[in-house]
Amino acid sequence: MAATVEISAREAEVLALVGEHLSNAEIGAQLFISVRTVESHVSSLLRKLEVPDRRALAQRASELARTDRSNPAPVLPTPLTSFIGRTRERAELTEMIKKHRQVTAVGPGGVGKTRLALTVAAEATGEYSDGVWFVDLVPITSPDTCVVAGTVALALGLGEQPGRSMDESVLAALADRHALLVLDNCEHVRDGVAPFIERLLETCPRLTVLATSRARLMVPFERVYTVPPMSLAGEGESDAVALFMDRAAAAGWPPNHALRDQVAEFCERLDGVALAIELAAARWTTLGLDGLTAGLSDQLRMLAGGARADDRHRSVRAALDWSHALLEPDDRVLLRRVSVLVKSFTVAAAAQVAASEKGVVAEGLARLVEQSLLVVTASPSGTEYRALETIRQYGMERLTEAGELVDARSRHLRWCLAEAADLAVVRAGWRPRFDAVADDFRVALAWAADRPEQRADAYRFARYLADLTFTRHLTGESQMRYEQAAALADDPAATAVLLRHAAAAAGCQMRGDDMYRLLRAAADAAHRAGDTAGAATDLATAATNAYRFSSKFARSLPPEEATALITEARELAGDDPAAQAALALAEAGRALTEAFGAAQGASDNAVPETIARAERAVELAHRTGDPLAESAALDTLAGAQSWAGDTFAAAATARRRIALLSSTPNTPAGTHELIDALGEATEAGLGVGDLPGARRWARQLADHPLLAEVGHRATCWLLVADALAGNVDEVLTRSVRFLEAWQRAGSPARTVLGAAVAGVEMIHGLRDDDSARREWNAVLNQLGTPPGHAHGYQAVFDAMLLLHNGQAREALERMAPEPGEVWRWVTWIWLHWYVALRAEATVLAGSSDAGDRLAEARTIVAGNPIAGAIVERAEALLAKDQERLLATADAFDAAGCRYQSARTMVLAGGDHAARGAAALADLGLAPMTPPWHP
């Protein structure tokens, strides 16, 4: 009997979230722990609860959900059946995986490959510091490597990372892991599994792969272990006899030990094949040994002939045929019809695909369980059933022989359609409900998509699945399903709509080239439908996206190609309001891109014209009543205002976008626009000194589920806001998620991350933690930040640290360039911070022109509560006006800037300095070194 196990409070929290089908990154974000820590807890829970994979762990979590999570009850693992014998095989296979990085356990269906691999993996858990992971490949319908990788990712607790394929995510996650990966049932997807394993072994030097398959995978350096039948050595004391006796006893009537020699002879007739023995043992109580021997002997004679190598295949076939023949006719029908269900299923699902009443089906399923033809498990939603894959495939053969395959598949499709329609409404427990049927959905759609007579249902189902997978944050699959639905649509107008959805999903995935391709295809479909205005809108939007989201493109769109799109769109637009609005936006985007090359203040500056174009685009988009079109136009307007140096106008425009999108539906297009708007609003808040607003929008961005797997992107602006505010604990906590996610993503050189990294580096400098500061400085150097940005966030954060350490002259040197010389790089986010800190450094350094600098700075930062308070503080320091100086502390507190408030108190000197030092200590910062006291 398994021993009672103890689950820690943290493990209970992780287990509960696994039960909600969250990925490791999502769990880490909720619990404020690293993904590596989550992985360790999941690995421990798999071992403690004796479950093979993440699916089973999620189900166990659901079973425990009724207990008090704050005081979790000990769990008694309850394996369905015991593992019998195979001492030699376990030792041999264990030794092989110690010596070789890729081992394939091969053998016919029913010989016991999966149970042996699971047992060996469980016993080897302690040898792998990063755990043992089991992946069942049965549900996969396509041998494509990406599909295989997606299934592995799900088992590992990985979600989709925007801008990255699932196989890349798996490779990155396992790159430095010392782990054992068990891939079960590889034979039907060998073409996809083999290259995937080869890449794993090349990329992950400490990973070992144990695969099970009916044939070898033909992977370089593969070591094959042929799984033998249950041992017959020792006759009545053999493993085969022990298995029979154990399974027969489980039926309630243990065989007489005096029969062991006869049982041994019987097992030898079955070639020691585990599944055949278990099926026979299930009939022991009704037929006895004589009946079993007679029945199976006749069946084996019917299958006689052929090569001896096929004996084990014949043994399984004989046991299945014989077990099937002994069933009541109605139970035979039920067994073959439920074989279309891929994973665990309920009585209700079985009744639908079997075209029978629930009560009748429930009784039939119970009888099939008694005969070991189905496995039964308990779940929070009720009793569930599942057929072993060998038996399910046998049932499919019988279904085909009976001429019922099409009808059963059609009923399965209708059941899936009904389930999909129900899932269209998102309610509590939606994720587990979707995951429970997702494999059946994919199988049903794959079947229907290949049958012309099912085209209408396949089209409808592909649309359902596209929406559902997007809701489940499987954005890559969602894009694929939208494209699949578009290909199945008979109406080109519907095709155009679906391709637009696919393009938006591609945008969410950071795949600009796909977004462009799909919008061009949508334009072609709209043209075929006679919708020239729709085609014009698609073409113009394709050009606009090339301007707005250029960083998402692998191939930069040549200017002449974008111009050609706009020209063609203009020819097709007519007087359609939506097309005219899209065209105006594309032209404004082109003008803004061209204006970026103009120097501020030059006589030929195109900025005023660009702002006018953008305002016109906003006006036209507003008239259409489409909030997404208006948001896109507002984005371009905010960019133009930023480039013109109108910080407050740009911030106001960004806030308009947020207000406009406040009730955006959870669609690909809406989500794509909202994520972009939240980033822009956060930047705007930072630029005008609205730290509470910036943190609010940055938090929404950090918590957005679509960014859960890319914690570095999700948290970057929140880190910047907290660093500027002096929220040290928050920076230290979130920087762990940032760094881990960035490394997990392959340490991409993305300049947009530079401000966050520089902010974290500054916080460690303020804490006087030189080691951590050097670590983050190394990260900053890896981001490939253009040198010009040294006058933006790098100058601001460097100056803050230098001023904290009393190095006013060094801070002034760091910001030596005049604001007018560097405006292009500091832009609207950093200009006010740069100007204000520069003015303060001028005063603290004792520069003779401090008064002039302060007057200039006050004009530039007017209206910014934080930058304005910094300038006000500098003026008070210059005037040695302590009362005026202390008043700025209240201003900083009101603006949510605790660090600057504490700094003000230290600068005030005397008793105030002591309170300021205490405030800095409460923040977790080192003492400040003021250059002088008033």
Side-chain angles (χ1 to χ4, degrees):
M1 178 180 289
T4 300
V5 296
E6 295 290 343
I7 297 178
S8 69
R10 177 62 88 188
E11 286 175 337
E13 290 179 312
V14 171
L15 181 61
L17 294 175
V18 169
E20 295 176 18
H21 290 224
L22 270 63
S23 70
N24 289 342
E26 290 171 318
I27 294 171
Q30 284 205 21
L31 299 181
F32 297 103
I33 57 178
S34 71
V35 173
R36 180 66 71 93
T37 301
V38 175
E39 290 172 351
S40 297
H41 286 313
V42 171
S43 181
S44 173
L45 288 164
L46 289 169
R47 184 175 64 255
K48 287 183 176 181
L49 301 183
E50 295 185 5
V51 291
D53 56 23
R54 198 179 182 92
R55 279 180 187 267
L57 189 62
Q59 183 168 321
R60 181 61 62 87
S62 298
E63 293 168 3
L64 299 175
R66 289 166 250 170
T67 65
D68 181 6
R69 291 183 185 176
S70 63
N71 185 24
V75 180
L76 186 64
T78 53
L80 293 173
T81 56
S82 57
F83 185 81
I84 303 295
R86 291 199 181 273
T87 302
R88 178 176 59 83
E89 293 92 327
R90 286 152 67 180
E92 290 174 345
L93 189 54
T94 297
E95 190 63 24
M96 285 189 74
I97 63 175
K98 286 180 179 179
K99 292 182 177 179
H100 308 291
R101 293 185 56 221
Q102 204 278 299
V103 178
T104 304
V106 301
V111 79
K113 301 183 296 295
T114 297
R115 288 299 301 271
L116 177 62
L118 273 172
T119 301
V120 167
E123 292 173 347
T125 298
E127 302 295 324
Y128 297 93
S129 57
D130 291 310
V132 173
W133 304 97
F134 177 81
V135 185
D136 182 6
L137 300 181
V138 164
I140 296 180
T141 58
S142 166
D144 186 89
T145 298
C146 289
V147 178
V148 173
T151 304
V152 174
L154 182 64
L156 295 175
L158 304 176
E160 287 195 9
Q161 286 192 26
R164 197 174 206 181
S165 65
M166 290 301 273
D167 55 334
E168 291 173 331
S169 294
V170 172
L171 293 172
L174 295 175
D176 63 343
R177 300 297 199 262
H178 181 219
L180 173 65
L181 180 65
V182 182
L183 301 177
D184 193 34
N185 292 296
C186 296
E187 57 274 350
H188 66 299
V189 287
R190 188 166 58 173
D191 290 344
V193 167
F196 177 66
I197 290 178
E198 191 170 348
R199 287 191 68 193
L200 275 175
L201 297 177
E202 290 173 353
T203 309
C204 313
R206 303 174 68 209
L207 179 72
T208 298
V209 177
L210 171 59
T212 74
S213 176
R214 297 188 184 185
R216 63 179 302 175
L217 302 178
M218 307 302 289
V219 178
F221 311 113
E222 177 184 29
R223 294 295 184 273
V224 174
Y225 181 78
T226 302
V227 179
M230 299 295 291
S231 172
L232 298 167
E235 298 182 345
E237 301 302 321
S238 69
D239 286 350
V241 170
L243 177 64
F244 182 94
M245 302 293 275
D246 179 84
R247 300 305 191 253
W253 185 13
N256 190 322
H257 281 255
L259 297 174
R260 294 180 76 93
D261 289 342
Q262 292 172 263
V263 171
E265 293 178 9
F266 176 73
C267 290
E268 187 173 1
R269 296 296 306 277
L270 293 176
D271 299 302
V273 175
L275 178 58
I277 292 171
E278 290 185 326
L279 290 172
R283 289 285 182 177
W284 160 257
T285 56
T286 56
L287 296 179
L289 192 57
D290 290 343
L292 290 175
T293 302
L296 274 172
S297 294
D298 291 343
Q299 193 63 44
L300 284 166
R301 274 195 297 273
M302 290 173 60
L303 296 171
R308 183 67 188 168
D310 294 332
D311 278 351
R312 277 175 264 157
H313 291 279
R314 291 205 303 271
S315 298
V316 174
R317 168 63 68 175
L320 286 169
D321 284 345
W322 174 76
S323 294
H324 182 265
L326 292 176
L327 294 174
E328 294 295 326
D330 288 347
D331 291 348
R332 294 179 207 162
V333 173
L334 180 61
L335 179 65
R336 65 178 180 254
R337 290 182 179 177
V338 298
S339 67
V340 299
L341 292 159
V342 180
K343 300 296 287 184
S344 298
F345 56 86
T346 63
V347 170
Q352 288 286 325
V353 300
S356 184
E357 296 179 1
K358 286 185 181 180
V360 174
V361 167
E363 293 175 0
L365 293 175
R367 289 191 293 272
L368 292 175
V369 170
E370 291 172 1
Q371 304 310 320
S372 292
L373 291 166
L374 292 179
V375 174
V376 63
T377 58
S379 74
S381 58
T383 302
E384 293 184 349
Y385 303 84
R386 183 183 180 185
L388 296 176
E389 182 59 14
T390 300
I391 296 174
R392 194 186 73 82
Q393 291 178 7
Y394 177 84
M396 290 294 291
E397 291 177 13
R398 287 292 186 174
L399 197 61
T400 302
E401 291 171 3
E404 298 177 353
L405 180 62
V406 172
D407 288 342
R409 286 288 197 193
S410 297
R411 288 192 296 272
H412 181 232
L413 177 62
R414 288 196 294 273
W415 173 75
C416 287
L417 280 166
E419 291 291 307
D422 185 57
L423 284 165
V425 179
V426 179
R427 298 186 293 269
W430 186 92
R431 272 194 180 193
R433 288 174 55 228
F434 172 79
D435 288 353
V437 293
D439 290 330
D440 276 290
F441 283 4
R442 295 176 181 118
V443 168
L445 180 54
W447 174 79
D450 287 338
R451 303 187 69 85
E453 71 276 14
Q454 297 287 351
R455 186 182 181 91
D457 278 344
Y459 161 70
R460 188 157 62 100
F461 198 13
R463 290 201 65 164
Y464 269 135
L465 196 51
D467 292 338
L468 293 172
T469 49
F470 187 80
T471 301
R472 183 59 178 85
H473 312 310
L474 301 174
T475 317
E477 181 176 358
S478 177
Q479 176 189 331
M480 184 265 286
R481 298 301 178 188
Y482 280 122
E483 292 190 59
Q484 184 179 24
L488 290 167
D490 292 325
D491 179 6
T495 297
V497 171
L498 290 163
L499 289 172
R500 290 166 195 146
H501 289 323
C508 293
Q509 277 276 35
M510 301 287 291
R511 301 190 182 281
D513 300 83
D514 272 3
M515 188 164 46
Y516 179 76
R517 169 182 62 82
L518 290 163
L519 282 172
R520 293 295 303 265
D524 290 341
H527 210 289
R528 291 196 305 274
D531 181 12
T532 55
T537 301
D538 293 328
L539 293 170
T541 303
T544 296
N545 286 348
Y547 298 131
R548 290 182 65 202
F549 306 115
S550 59
S551 64
K552 297 184 179 184
F553 283 72
R555 176 188 76 99
S556 297
L557 194 66
E560 60 273 13
E561 188 173 341
T563 298
L565 286 175
I566 294 173
T567 300
E568 185 178 355
R570 188 181 297 112
E571 293 170 354
L572 296 172
D575 58 358
D576 181 82
Q580 287 293 332
L583 184 60
L585 179 56
E587 291 173 336
R590 179 173 59 183
L592 179 59
T593 302
E594 293 171 351
F596 276 12
Q600 187 180 34
S603 59
D604 59 347
N605 187 358
V607 169
E609 178 187 348
T610 302
I611 291 177
R613 285 182 176 274
E615 289 174 337
R616 174 64 174 163
V618 171
E619 179 186 353
L620 291 177
H622 179 73
R623 291 179 187 175
T624 68
D626 180 356
L628 299 184
E630 187 174 353
S631 172
L634 287 170
D635 178 34
T636 299
L637 176 59
Q641 292 166 332
S642 165
W643 193 250
D646 196 342
T647 306
F648 292 102
T653 299
R655 289 194 295 270
R656 282 177 62 188
R657 283 188 78 191
I658 293 295
L660 189 67
L661 298 172
S662 59
S663 58
T664 303
N666 183 33
T667 63
T671 299
H672 188 216
E673 195 66 31
L674 178 61
I675 288 176
D676 182 73
L678 286 171
E680 184 176 67
T682 301
E683 295 176 61
L686 295 174
V688 297
D690 179 13
L691 279 184
R695 292 191 74 250
R696 182 171 65 253
W697 294 313
R699 183 177 292 279
Q700 290 182 47
L701 201 59
D703 293 341
H704 199 287
L706 199 65
L707 300 181
E709 304 300 322
V710 283
H712 52 300
R713 282 182 53 206
T715 60
C716 65
W717 286 116
L718 191 53
L719 282 171
V720 173
D722 280 328
L724 290 171
N727 298 330
V728 178
D729 288 344
E730 287 86 344
V731 170
L732 297 180
T733 299
R734 291 192 176 88
S735 65
V736 172
R737 180 186 176 195
F738 176 99
L739 185 59
E740 184 185 56
W742 178 70
Q743 292 171 337
R744 206 170 67 243
S747 303
R750 293 181 57 83
T751 57
V752 71
L753 305 175
V757 175
V760 176
E761 181 191 0
M762 179 200 71
I763 289 295
H764 285 299
L766 294 176
R767 297 179 70 243
D768 203 20
D769 187 341
D770 291 337
S771 175
R773 187 185 174 202
R774 284 193 297 271
E775 178 185 2
W776 283 89
N777 182 258
V779 173
L780 188 62
N781 292 334
Q782 291 183 61
L783 294 180
T785 306
H789 283 224
H791 299 304
Y793 58 79
Q794 288 185 347
V796 168
F797 287 126
D798 285 350
M800 288 178 66
L801 179 58
L802 289 167
L803 290 172
H804 182 89
N805 292 331
Q807 298 172 285
R809 290 191 179 281
E810 290 83 349
L812 190 57
E813 290 173 6
R814 182 66 181 84
M815 297 183 292
E818 294 291 333
E821 298 174 17
V822 300
W823 73 275
R824 183 192 306 257
W825 304 115
V826 298
T827 66
W828 54 303
I829 307 176
W830 303 106
L831 178 62
H832 289 182
W833 293 91
Y834 184 92
V835 167
L837 290 169
R838 188 169 182 266
E840 181 172 299
T842 302
V843 171
L844 294 176
S847 297
S848 58
D849 60 347
D852 294 337
R853 293 285 181 88
L854 286 170
E856 178 188 15
R858 177 174 286 281
T859 300
I860 293 174
V861 306
N864 184 317
I866 297 175
I870 292 174
V871 173
E872 176 72 11
R873 181 175 62 196
E875 290 182 335
L877 287 169
L878 184 63
K880 299 184 179 181
D881 186 337
Q882 188 180 63
E883 182 177 352
R884 184 180 174 190
L885 176 65
L886 290 172
T888 65
D890 295 332
F892 287 125
D893 284 331
C897 199
R898 294 189 293 167
Y899 168 70
Q900 293 296 345
S901 175
R903 174 174 166 76
T904 299
M905 302 299 290
V906 175
L907 288 172
D911 294 339
H912 303 294
R915 289 198 296 273
L920 288 174
D922 287 342
L923 290 174
L925 300 178
M928 195 177 98
T929 306
W932 56 277
H933 298 300

